[in-house]
Amino acid sequence: MRIAFVSSEAVPFSKVGGLADVVGSLPPVLADEHNDLTIYLPGRGREGGKVIGERTFSWKGQEEKVEVRRLEREGVRYRFVDLPDFRGRPVYEGDAADLVRYTRYCLAVDADLRHRPAQVVHLHDWPTALIAVLLKNRRSRVQCVFTIHNLAYQGFWEADAFYEATGLPRSLHTPEGLEFFGKVNLLKGALVFADAITTVSPTYAREIQSRARGEGLDGVLRHHGGKLTGVLNGIDTRYWDPATDPHLPANYESIDDPGKQACRVALGRELHLSGPILGVISRLFWQKGIDIVLDALPRLLEMGYDLCILGSGEPVLERQCQAAADNYPGRVVFRRGYDEPLAHRIYAGAEAFLMPSRWEPCGLSQLIAMRYGTVPVVRATGGLFDTVIDGQTGIRFECAHPEGLIAGLSRLAHGPLKRDVIGAAGMKREVGWRRAAQAYRRIYGIEDQPLLVDGAA
């Protein structure tokens, strides 16, 4: 079976959030002697690989050419589409330039898929959504799967500009097609035209069909609910392994291994904190509930905890995190940005890991925390609800409010729940990709079909 993943990011080449981890770690599990798997990514000029050809696509009525590079790694083939729009630029710029760049990227990938057809094209989030429309518009026989990682980001074009740029027919601009309150909504197009829709947890799949979490597309999702499936994400358990992790001061295989306690002690020394540490590793956005942690902070400190926050995001939240560190020296540490080795040490050395998200499609940090024997304390939403068993592999709380977080931590600190018992159960929980890979194989459903093309570059 020939499978093509298309994404805006994937580790180890580029990363903004969990999407990059998913696209970087799921394909190697799917790729085997029966599956030829390729990941398409925008080329940013530093990935390496060999130029294998030039493809042509139409943009604003003119033909444009783009080179495609090929690289193989761990049994997975990568194809980098070398548009100048991406060279030397971040994954996302947060403005209209993203819309143009990723629309052009989709047109270029579609041009390469015409040259080297796949049996399944698996698209991820709005930057790749247009490909579902392009495949359907040219009546391709390819099975198209679209995964929603975060419904909040959708990709809106002014209609006249979109159809002029892409050359797609205006007949697509209907409520049953791309039209969304007069504009073109790329993500909606994928929901309508993909053969199957997945999202990253069963609970999130239900939540996004509600008005509260549907981001304006709940009606579309309910209409297409028969092709929507929630498939829980996993993590790369070879990379996230406390028994072999090179970033830890000591390795360990169980909760009562001396290496676990050594990690707790070493993290306190590194951060100059003396009490049990609550860890937060997150993008600093309102969705993630960082303000909930900060509003609860005086009570958390009274309970005897110290706090470490690692992340970046909205400037106002960054300033508030820094102010907390300035106001409580020796009790609160804020590290702006992302530090991979420190992240590993927080997962291993924290007393508990906080995820008070207002909504969370899946989340990966709670899976990593469990893998490292650290108790996740999470709000009961989306994938956090699905992955954390309350009182067994972590603590769940219902209310997206400081009192909810405090109540959850109080159950851990003063209730019958034992930190190391929960941590030990978390370490035994299956958090890898095996189950998700089986689910995706069922969704693809074409194992017995012959390859459409053999031997193409």
Side-chain angles (χ1 to χ4, degrees):
M1 177 169 57
R2 182 170 285 163
I3 306 167
F5 270 48
V6 190
S7 179
S8 55
E9 54 181 302
V11 295
F13 302 104
S14 53
K15 177 177 177 177
V16 171
L19 169 61
D21 294 300
V22 171
V23 177
S25 58
L26 173 58
V29 181
L30 288 168
D32 56 30
E33 67 272 17
H34 304 296
N35 297 319
D36 173 357
L37 201 148
T38 299
I39 302 176
Y40 282 89
L41 292 169
R44 294 184 167 83
R46 57 181 181 271
E47 302 90 358
K50 177 185 177 182
V51 175
I52 49 89
E54 202 172 53
R55 306 291 178 252
T56 301
F57 66 96
S58 176
W59 180 254
K60 295 185 177 180
Q62 303 292 321
E63 283 195 351
E64 294 203 16
K65 295 185 181 297
V66 60
E67 286 186 339
V68 177
R69 283 178 291 125
R70 183 176 62 191
L71 178 70
E72 186 162 344
R73 183 186 178 107
E74 295 187 10
V76 177
R77 294 182 178 90
Y78 294 85
R79 288 170 91 88
F80 298 100
V81 178
D82 283 337
L83 287 165
D85 314 49
F86 292 92
R87 189 170 290 270
R89 300 169 85 170
V91 176
Y92 306 115
E93 295 184 335
D95 58 18
D98 285 344
L99 196 62
V100 172
R101 288 194 300 157
Y102 284 109
T103 298
R104 286 165 52 79
Y105 171 59
C106 288
L107 292 167
V109 170
D110 184 61
D112 194 61
L113 288 170
R114 292 170 185 250
H115 175 82
R116 188 181 187 275
Q119 290 172 281
V120 174
V121 174
H122 191 158
L123 311 174
H124 296 269
D125 264 354
W126 79 264
T128 67
L130 179 59
I131 294 172
V133 182
L134 298 170
L135 290 171
K136 186 64 68 174
N137 185 64
R138 62 180 171 89
R139 295 180 172 84
S140 170
R141 294 185 293 126
V142 172
Q143 170 92 344
C144 181
V145 179
F146 180 73
T147 295
I148 306 165
H149 294 264
N150 193 330
L151 189 64
Y153 304 98
Q154 298 179 14
F156 296 100
W157 268 93
E158 295 295 336
D160 290 342
F162 172 80
Y163 293 107
E164 178 187 355
T166 63
L168 284 167
R170 290 287 303 226
S171 59
L172 293 169
H173 200 66
T174 66
E176 294 75 30
L178 299 178
E179 190 271 335
F180 187 80
F181 294 97
K183 295 188 176 183
V184 167
N185 184 327
L186 297 180
L187 188 140
K188 180 192 174 189
L191 301 183
V192 171
F193 293 115
D195 298 293
I197 307 166
T198 73
T199 191
V200 291
S201 70
T203 295
Y204 190 60
R206 292 191 295 272
E207 290 174 345
I208 60 178
Q209 295 180 71
S210 71
R211 183 171 296 181
R213 284 286 169 260
E215 302 291 344
L217 292 172
D218 50 290
V220 178
L221 285 158
R222 288 193 298 273
H223 181 72
H224 292 278
K227 60 182 182 182
L228 172 62
T229 306
V231 179
L232 271 177
N233 279 341
I235 59 173
D236 184 343
T237 53
R238 297 170 303 170
Y239 180 72
W240 296 106
D241 185 355
T244 59
D245 192 331
H247 299 300
L248 303 186
N251 295 116
Y252 57 95
E253 297 183 356
S254 66
I255 202 73
D256 54 2
D257 190 313
K260 176 64 173 175
Q261 183 59 26
C263 287
R264 291 173 176 148
V265 172
L267 182 65
R269 289 175 180 164
E270 179 178 359
L271 300 177
H272 304 290
L273 301 175
S274 57
I277 297 171
L278 302 175
V280 176
I281 303 172
S282 178
R283 290 174 292 154
L284 304 182
F285 297 129
W286 183 82
Q287 170 207 340
K288 299 293 187 178
I290 304 303
D291 58 307
I292 294 173
V293 176
L294 296 176
D295 289 344
L297 182 57
R299 293 278 300 280
L300 301 181
L301 298 179
E302 288 176 7
M303 294 169 69
Y305 291 112
D306 293 339
L307 175 67
C308 173
I309 300 174
L310 172 64
S312 61
E314 295 174 1
V316 64
L317 290 175
E318 290 185 2
R319 290 194 295 270
Q320 290 173 0
C321 290
Q322 187 58 59
D326 294 339
N327 292 335
Y328 298 101
R331 302 296 306 278
V332 178
V333 170
F334 171 53
R335 297 288 176 84
R336 184 183 181 279
Y338 185 70
D339 181 330
E340 182 77 9
L342 176 58
H344 287 241
R345 294 193 288 273
I346 293 171
Y347 285 123
E351 177 87 359
F353 191 90
L354 308 185
M355 295 185 71
S357 302
R358 289 181 167 87
W359 74 91
E360 191 67 61
C362 181
L364 300 179
S365 289
Q366 81 279 13
L367 303 178
I368 300 169
M370 286 190 286
R371 174 78 166 152
Y372 281 63
T374 295
V375 178
V377 179
V378 307
R379 180 156 179 270
T381 183
L384 301 179
F385 179 87
D386 291 333
T387 55
V388 175
I389 303 173
D390 187 47
Q392 297 183 39
T393 63
I395 304 294
R396 293 197 310 236
F397 61 93
E398 295 291 336
C399 184
H401 187 276
E403 292 300 326
L405 174 59
I406 291 164
L409 272 170
S410 295
R411 293 172 58 212
L412 183 64
H414 305 301
L417 306 173
K418 301 299 183 182
R419 176 198 67 181
D420 284 354
V421 173
I422 296 174
M427 291 189 77
K428 295 175 183 176
R429 185 166 173 80
E430 170 60 50
V431 295
W433 279 109
R434 181 180 58 84
R435 291 180 182 174
Q438 290 174 342
Y440 279 118
R441 288 189 179 102
R442 289 194 296 270
I443 290 166
Y444 298 160
I446 56 172
E447 288 86 349
D448 298 328
Q449 292 187 13
L451 293 176
L452 300 180
V453 173
D454 286 316

